[in-house]
Amino acid sequence: MGECMQEYKLFIGGEWADSSTGETFKDTAPATLETIGIFQKAGAQDVGRAVDAAEDAFPAWSSTPAPQRGKIIFRAARILEERKEELSRKLTIEMGKVLPEARGDVQEAIDITYYAAGEGRRLFGETTPSELPDKACMTVRRPIGVVALITPWNFPVAIPAWKLMPALIAGNTVVFKPSSDTPMLAAELVKILTEAGVPAGVVNMVTGSGEVAGKAIVNNMKVRAMSFTGSLDTGKWILGEASKSMKRVSLELGGKNPIIVMDDANIDLAVDGVIWGGFGTSGQRCTAASRVIVHEKVIDTFREKLLARAGKLRLGNGLLESTDVGPIINNTQLRKIAGYCDIGKNEGATLLLGGKQAKMNGYFFEPTIFTDVTMDMRIAREEIFGPVVSLINASDLGDAIEKANSVEYGLSSSIYTESMRSAFKAIEKVDAGLTYVNASTIGSEVHLPFGGVKATGNGTREAGSTALEEFTELKTVYFDYSGRLQRAQIDIEG
Ligand code: UN1
């Protein structure tokens, strides 16, 4: 056992508790394969207790004035800020991303926490005139109730914070199930919320498998809304199951995000964008640039420059300054990425770089580039979630956009061009929730909506003011002060 080894518990009703199953699992550092913590495998009974605790805490929390809830969330933001460096290092150890990116992850959590705290003094509804005299019309926001948040491992603090903070400021109480690959940072976040003054029962954390704990959450009738970020298959399953209890569901699923490089693009800038979007976080982002659709007039130059840059990327432990690309989260993901490289070769794509696991201790995969990729190949259509970039030819903008749109996902997208016309065409025609112009597919900011179209989600948007739509019910209020019966649609002159 390593020095920092600790056994973590479930957090239910303000208490740290063992799971009823008595079973635990190990949290492994992907760069060193060391066990860094022991976590509880929650059973259905534990999930039931967590939901009940959240339900009990709901009346008081939802009745607390939102600006008061905001004060608590502001304190959480300050604690996150004070502990940024320590949390970032832990995040690099637990998840693997390089330290500057881990700092970005924590910063994103700090940003959304401040942003959500400020919403405590907004939470705006609408007012609008009535069609009748002496009558006021407005909307007010109400919390939904107990909400469940199921989060992935690739942004161990930022994504939980994206969901927790808007849910809490709106007055909901929470059951939070983090990924089993990154439960340590989740536990840190829960401790910070508690330290900031979030009352017992308002946030409950259960760790464990999707098959047991996740399933118990989805099937619990008292959970009124769920927010999930993860795979398409799991998302589809949640949506189907949740319909039985009419839960509101918000899904953030996969991506197969294209960067279009036009013949008038600044090629060096586009190469920077592909390196950052394709290999940053070892390609383990929903927003990762996994397809690069390049105008055929510039593809040779582009390919050469990209290869030169990608070939210099240094794999290693994310804590070291010399590292550009960290490890893959676990062996299953590593095998999946390797499997896709075999598929790509069998499909006839040309492997330009990488394509294999690195001979290092830890889960490392070499930055990989395929060229001569066509849109019928699986590597061009399916989410790989690793450092694998596919180069695809396009004859013109129309062809590039058609190829960009020919996959089932639609999260992020980007175009490199000096032409305003091409840029606006892409904004208009690319089927995606996000389009970047002359910037990579990654790097969304917390005060703008985040989400995708088609199989990427079910229409909701996280972050920004739209995060509140995810976690509030609107009530429409008609306030008649005429003192007489007034019939809408009927008692109207003219
Ligand atoms: C994700 O990969 O699930 O834009 C989220 C980005 C980050 C968020 C990514 N701000 O890449």
Side-chain angles (χ1 to χ4, degrees):
M1 280 196 188
E3 262 173 49
C4 53
M5 171 78 91
Q6 197 185 327
E7 179 162 338
Y8 292 80
K9 311 280 180 188
L10 307 174
F11 191 62
I12 299 177
E15 308 280 338
W16 294 94
D18 286 322
S19 84
S20 60
T21 64
E23 289 174 51
T24 56
F25 63 96
K26 285 180 183 168
D27 184 9
T28 306
T32 59
L33 307 186
E34 277 168 337
T35 303
I36 56 171
I38 301 289
F39 285 83
Q40 309 294 310
K41 258 194 202 169
Q45 202 189 322
D46 302 308
V47 168
R49 283 179 52 227
V51 174
D52 289 348
E55 194 183 37
D56 290 347
F58 181 72
W61 182 245
S62 57
S63 305
T64 304
Q68 301 302 321
R69 293 197 294 260
K71 279 190 182 166
I72 296 175
I73 307 298
F74 267 121
R75 277 203 291 275
R78 281 202 295 271
I79 301 170
L80 277 166
E81 219 165 20
E82 281 157 20
R83 292 184 49 195
K84 178 176 172 183
E85 192 56 25
E86 169 224 332
L87 290 168
S88 304
R89 298 188 80 82
K90 282 191 171 140
L91 197 156
T92 291
I93 293 168
E94 187 180 41
M95 184 273 162
K97 65 175 72 173
V98 294
L99 194 50
E101 287 185 31
R103 292 189 186 113
D105 194 320
V106 177
Q107 188 58 47
E108 201 163 339
I110 294 168
D111 294 342
I112 192 75
T113 307
Y114 275 124
Y115 182 83
E119 284 299 329
R121 287 195 184 268
R122 287 185 292 265
L123 283 176
F124 295 135
E126 288 181 302
T127 58
T128 184
S130 168
E131 62 189 45
L132 292 159
D134 297 331
K135 190 177 171 191
C137 302
M138 67 190 100
T139 58
V140 293
R141 287 185 187 277
R142 306 177 74 218
I144 300 174
V146 177
V147 302
L149 313 176
I150 302 188
T151 57
W153 45 264
N154 66 334
F155 278 81
V157 204
I159 293 182
W162 277 13
K163 296 187 194 292
L164 275 162
M165 306 311 169
L168 292 174
I169 197 68
N172 301 285
T173 55
V174 172
V175 174
F176 165 38
K177 188 189 118 34
S179 162
S180 298
D181 284 304
T182 51
M184 186 171 78
L185 264 295
E188 293 301 330
L189 194 55
V190 168
K191 282 191 228 163
I192 287 169
L193 285 168
T194 306
E195 190 187 330
V198 171
V202 171
V203 173
N204 306 276
M205 183 184 76
V206 290
T207 47
S209 71
E211 293 76 36
V212 178
K215 192 165 184 231
I217 288 173
V218 181
N219 292 335
N220 193 305
M221 303 298 273
K222 295 177 187 167
V223 173
R224 298 314 312 145
M226 283 196 59
S227 180
F228 169 75
T229 299
S231 73
L232 176 58
D233 285 347
T234 308
K236 280 183 181 166
W237 175 78
I238 289 176
L239 202 55
E241 289 295 303
S243 68
K244 293 176 192 157
S245 50
M246 293 296 284
K247 283 182 188 34
R248 185 189 299 192
V249 177
S250 166
L251 300 173
E252 208 57 76
L253 310 173
K256 192 71 191 172
N257 313 291
I259 291 185
I260 296 175
V261 182
M262 290 303 292
D263 53 346
D264 60 0
N266 175 336
I267 299 291
D268 292 318
L269 189 64
V271 169
D272 282 344
V274 174
I275 296 282
W276 175 225
F279 303 118
T281 329
S282 307
Q284 301 172 111
R285 294 198 193 207
C286 311
T287 51
S290 52
R291 293 184 295 150
V292 187
I293 305 173
V294 190
H295 195 291
E296 58 194 15
K297 278 195 199 151
V298 293
I299 195 160
D300 292 338
T301 322
F302 180 84
R303 190 191 297 115
E304 252 169 61
K305 289 191 176 205
L306 180 68
L307 186 60
R309 285 282 305 283
K312 290 198 192 101
L313 293 172
R314 294 157 303 181
L315 280 175
N317 187 319
L319 289 175
L320 303 173
E321 249 179 68
S322 55
T323 300
D324 298 311
V325 181
I328 303 303
I329 188 71
N330 59 36
N331 196 40
T332 309
Q333 287 297 120
L334 189 79
R335 300 268 66 85
K336 180 179 163 197
I337 298 164
Y340 269 110
C341 290
D342 291 339
I343 291 170
K345 284 184 263 178
N346 292 336
E347 283 175 323
T350 310
L351 181 66
L352 270 189
L353 183 72
K356 57 182 188 303
Q357 182 176 356
K359 289 195 181 71
M360 297 160 72
N361 187 33
Y363 303 127
F364 290 93
F365 200 86
E366 292 183 1
T368 298
I369 301 175
F370 280 103
T371 190
D372 305 321
V373 177
T374 51
M375 284 313 306
D376 53 325
M377 296 180 184
R378 283 181 64 194
I379 57 164
R381 318 182 69 82
E382 296 173 21
E383 186 176 50
I384 300 175
F385 227 68
V388 182
V389 166
S390 290
L391 298 186
I392 298 159
N393 258 356
S395 52
D396 57 19
L397 182 64
D399 184 35
I401 292 175
E402 201 184 308
K403 285 174 173 160
N405 289 346
S406 67
V407 296
E408 66 179 328
Y409 297 112
L411 180 52
S412 189
S413 61
S414 142
I415 181 164
Y416 282 82
T417 180
E418 294 299 306
S419 149
M420 278 208 276
R421 184 186 170 276
S422 300
F424 273 101
K425 270 285 163 212
I427 294 168
E428 186 190 329
K429 297 288 183 202
V430 172
D431 297 331
L434 308 155
T435 294
Y436 290 84
V437 177
N438 292 329
S440 194
T441 52
I442 67 177
S444 64
E445 301 177 28
V446 302
H447 52 301
L448 286 111
F450 180 91
V453 304
K454 301 196 283 187
T456 291
N458 58 340
T460 57
R461 293 288 181 269
E462 302 201 86
S465 57
T466 44
L468 295 174
E469 307 301 336
E470 211 184 326
F471 294 112
T472 55
E473 296 279 11
L474 275 183
K475 173 175 279 186
T476 304
V477 180
Y478 296 102
F479 196 116
D480 193 320
Y481 50 96
S482 69
R484 59 184 183 275
L485 174 69
Q486 297 202 91
R487 297 172 302 172
Q489 293 90 39
I490 295 167
D491 297 334
I492 296 182
E493 311 252 318

